[in-house]
Amino acid sequence: MRFRPSARARARWLAAAVLAGPAPLLGASPALAGAPAPDAPVGSYVLRMAPEDGAGPAVATLTCAPDGGTHPRAKEACDQLRRVAGQVERIPESPGPCTLEYAPVRLTATGTWRGRQQRFTKTYPNRCAAIRGTGGVLFAF
């Protein structure tokens, strides 16, 4: 013998499902759309400059809107990122001289901008060329 719920029980279950059904979807919609949470910063990065000679890397954190982190010039660095929609590779080079010293450094910027993952990695011939090559501010820490 199979149990069959009464019409009234089915109606209550259906009403509960209809009322509760959209709730999980509404709560998940920002994550599904790739949008940051309303109180999350616009951008958040971990910046790393690692000399290839094996010396310890220099590391800074940067958050934008609100501008902060351990970066010593957070506002200027965030201004650079705002102009290029968070894409480090699009920051224009800062003109100026550097020595021809060969002491390669590898730059890495990992983070998010407006909910989208961002990653930049590039090796430069020396620290000066790396800082100038990324606009003169972002990796100047």
Side-chain angles (χ1 to χ4, degrees):
M1 176 181 258
R2 260 181 34 189
F3 172 75
R4 290 186 71 158
S6 69
R8 180 176 280 178
R10 284 192 306 260
R12 279 189 301 223
W13 181 85
L14 182 59
V18 167
L19 292 174
L25 294 176
L26 292 173
S29 62
L32 294 174
D39 59 345
V42 167
S44 179
Y45 290 85
V46 174
L47 307 168
R48 181 181 166 102
M49 181 184 294
E52 288 193 351
D53 68 2
V59 179
T61 59
L62 178 66
T63 57
C64 299
D67 299 349
T70 62
H71 195 289
R73 296 166 60 190
K75 183 186 178 332
E76 293 171 77
C78 287
D79 287 345
Q80 279 188 324
L81 288 169
R82 281 188 268 276
R83 287 190 291 271
V84 296
Q87 297 176 6
V88 176
E89 63 276 5
R90 293 182 53 206
I91 295 174
E93 191 172 312
S94 174
C98 284
T99 65
L100 298 178
E101 166 191 25
Y102 186 70
V105 294
R106 183 169 189 82
L107 302 185
T108 306
T110 307
T112 59
W113 188 264
R114 298 199 182 277
R116 299 183 72 117
Q117 292 294 317
Q118 300 291 325
R119 179 149 175 90
F120 169 82
T121 302
K122 187 170 180 180
T123 301
Y124 290 86
N126 59 50
R127 185 176 190 281
C128 176
I131 291 170
R132 291 207 180 276
T134 54
V137 177
L138 189 62
F139 284 92
F141 51 84

